[in-house]
């Protein structure tokens, strides 16, 4: 198991919300937002490439205007074009989703364009990667934070040229308790889905929530419609999570095992499921009192997986598991190495 910091002497004060993708040449591209501090106008999208001999220096990928930039998402479908989605705007109610493309493994990029021209509030992937379904449809895991938190999915049948938004997914109507930040009653809410397809047409999502548990919804029609959101047994601290379906069909999840709304963002665990997310076996990855948050997870062509996550807002951690590591995790014998 490989585990390392991505950044050395970063040229910014804070960084957060990483994403990653395996390139056609086998290298790994990661991206995140960074600047003085989240929500500041100097925040831009940065990235780096993991070559066989180590990480490149940070690369300035995008700065569209003098507004905060947010939550980059990298995606490569069955072709070799790499897409970079990200949000711009002064708060989620004013988010616009931008997209850039690279045809040369992240060396050069197209100019940023709006994913859905004229939209405010954010379309497309809000934190986690898109997936390509067995019938070629692209699904982008999306959510709205205008009023009540709710999730939806954007669907594309033409490789991301045009997108159709599903309805907001139904949720239980209940109060989950006091918001410790405001002291006011908080409604059940979910955002930032992560998606996988178990068998053709059967698609599932796990969601960040306000109820102290990871929530879930399922679709039987290629993501067109979704069942009512329901709670799982897995804890959630109202912070981001992500998973990927590996080549052997198992699911690898990265999350904070803290069952409290607006709870601590430490420790961070990896968990493996061999029954389509019904049960999970977890191992701790980082346990000290420091923020470990907003993980990203991808399956690799060699049967392994790669993970990134925020490390104290000062760095990003990169974790790589090969096929033997996944097998050891199933047996409960995988050892976690110190950074």
């Amino acid at each position: 198991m490989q585990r390392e910091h991505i950044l050395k002497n970063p040229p910014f004060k804070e960084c957060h919300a990483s994403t990653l993708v395996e390139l056609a040449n086998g290298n790994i591209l990661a991206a995140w937002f960074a600047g003085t501090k989240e929500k500041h106008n100097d925040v831009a999208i940065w990235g780096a490439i993991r070559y066989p001999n180590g990480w490149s220096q940070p690369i300035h990928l995008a700065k569209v205007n003098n507004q905060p930039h947010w939550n980059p998402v990298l995606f490569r479908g069955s072709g070799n074009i790499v897409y970079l989605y990200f949000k711009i705007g002064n708060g989620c109610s004013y988010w616009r989703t931008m997209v850039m493309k690279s045809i040369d493994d992240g060396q050069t990029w197209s100019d940023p364009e709006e994913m859905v021209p004229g939209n405010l509030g954010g379309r497309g992937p809000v934190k986690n990667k898109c997936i390509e379904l067995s019938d070629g449809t692209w699904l982008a895991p999306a959510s709205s934070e205008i009023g009540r938190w709710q999730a939806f999915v954007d669907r594309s049948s033409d490789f991301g040229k045009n997108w159709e938004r599903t309805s907001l997914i139904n949720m239980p109507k209940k109060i989950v308790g006091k918001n410790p930040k405001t002291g006011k009653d908080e409604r059940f809410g979910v955002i930032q889905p992560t998606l996988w397809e178990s068998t053709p047409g059967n698609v599932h999502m796990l969601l960040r929530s306000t109820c102290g548990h990871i929530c879930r919804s399922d679709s039987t029609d290629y993501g067109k419609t979704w069942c009512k959101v329901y709670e799982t047994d897995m804890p959630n601290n109202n912070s981001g999570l992500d998973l990927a379906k590996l080549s052997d069909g198992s699911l690898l999840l990265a999350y904070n095992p803290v069952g409290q709304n607006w709870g601590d963002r430490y420790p961070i665990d990896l968990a493996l499921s061999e029954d389509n997310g019904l049960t999970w076996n977890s191992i701790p990855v980082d346990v000290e009192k420091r923020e470990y948050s907003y993980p990203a997870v991808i399956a690799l062509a060699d049967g392994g997986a790669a993970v990134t996550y925020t490390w104290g807002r000062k760095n990003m951690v990169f974790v790589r598991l090969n096929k033997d590591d996944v097998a050891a995790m199933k047996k409960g014998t995988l050892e976690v190495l110190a950074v």
Side-chain angles (χ1 to χ4, degrees):
M1 177 179 173
Q2 176 186 348
R3 184 159 166 265
E4 61 197 15
H5 284 143
I6 292 177
L7 301 170
K8 295 180 180 179
N9 302 315
F12 36 73
K13 289 185 177 180
E14 289 196 0
C15 53
H16 186 42
S18 62
T19 178
L20 71 167
V21 69
E22 185 175 22
L23 302 172
N25 60 15
N27 294 329
I28 302 290
L29 170 65
W32 55 87
F33 72 71
T36 301
K37 194 177 183 66
E38 182 177 353
K39 301 182 182 180
H40 280 218
N41 288 337
D42 68 350
V43 170
I45 305 301
W46 292 75
I49 296 176
R50 182 55 162 89
Y51 296 105
N53 62 346
W55 286 95
S56 71
Q57 290 297 309
I59 306 163
H60 189 275
L61 294 177
K63 183 60 175 172
V64 176
N65 57 21
N66 190 35
Q67 291 182 325
H69 288 33
W70 312 75
N71 295 13
V73 175
L74 290 163
F75 171 67
R76 181 169 72 92
S78 53
N80 288 332
I81 299 175
V82 178
Y83 296 81
L84 171 64
Y85 301 92
F86 57 96
K87 312 293 190 199
I88 60 174
N90 292 307
C92 55
S93 298
Y94 304 99
W95 276 353
R96 289 185 293 144
T97 304
M98 310 301 292
V99 60
M100 299 163 57
K101 304 173 187 177
S102 175
I103 59 174
D104 56 7
D105 286 326
Q107 298 300 314
T108 61
W109 294 87
S110 65
D111 292 333
E113 299 179 349
E114 286 192 74
M115 180 186 134
V116 179
N119 173 259
L120 287 180
R123 293 284 299 276
V126 65
K127 174 197 170 293
N128 295 320
K129 61 196 171 295
C130 304
I131 63 169
E132 184 171 342
L133 300 181
S134 53
D135 69 349
T137 301
W138 288 10
L139 296 187
S143 56
S144 171
E145 298 180 45
I146 302 174
R148 189 183 189 189
W149 287 7
Q150 290 186 264
F152 64 96
V153 169
D154 265 307
R155 305 178 77 255
S156 177
S157 58
D158 57 6
F159 307 105
K161 295 177 183 177
N162 296 284
W163 294 90
E164 181 180 359
R165 173 179 171 159
T166 68
S167 299
L168 293 170
I169 301 171
N170 290 330
M171 296 191 299
K173 296 179 179 180
K174 65 178 183 178
I175 300 296
V176 296
K178 298 287 185 184
N179 182 325
K181 294 186 175 182
T182 65
K184 298 179 180 180
D185 287 336
E186 188 162 17
R187 291 185 293 175
F188 186 107
V190 293
I191 54 172
Q192 299 175 352
T194 180
L195 304 172
W196 77 97
E197 184 181 33
S198 55
T199 56
N202 290 300
V203 192
H204 318 274
M205 66 169 65
L206 297 184
L207 303 113
R208 168 182 174 175
S209 83
T210 61
C211 69
H213 291 93
I214 295 174
C215 289
R216 177 168 171 162
S217 182
D218 307 290
S219 171
T220 59
D221 57 6
Y222 292 91
K224 297 175 184 176
T225 62
W226 294 82
C227 76
K228 190 175 185 178
V229 170
Y230 58 97
E231 295 181 40
T232 73
D233 294 332
M234 294 290 281
N236 181 244
N237 57 341
N238 196 349
S239 185
L241 55 104
D242 193 23
L243 65 71
K245 181 181 176 182
L246 306 185
S247 59
D248 65 358
S250 60
L251 305 176
L252 182 68
L253 170 71
Y255 72 112
N256 298 112
V258 178
Q260 179 184 356
N261 187 24
W262 299 112
D264 292 329
R265 292 183 170 185
Y266 63 87
I268 192 167
D269 282 11
L270 293 178
L272 196 72
S273 175
E274 299 182 78
D275 55 10
N276 200 40
L278 297 179
T279 61
W280 299 87
N281 293 317
S282 297
I283 60 170
V285 179
D286 255 321
V287 298
E288 294 181 2
K289 191 174 181 180
R290 181 185 291 113
E291 179 182 341
Y292 312 114
S293 60
Y294 273 51
V297 186
I298 58 169
L300 298 176
D302 64 4
V307 182
T308 54
Y309 56 88
T310 298
W311 191 89
R313 301 271 176 151
K314 301 300 182 184
N315 213 317
M316 296 292 165
V317 171
F318 172 74
V319 178
R320 183 166 188 156
L321 289 79
N322 61 32
K323 199 170 183 178
D324 290 339
D325 294 327
V326 174
M329 193 171 177
K330 291 179 180 180
K331 297 177 182 178
T333 59
L334 181 63
E335 294 185 5
V336 177
L337 303 178
V339 173

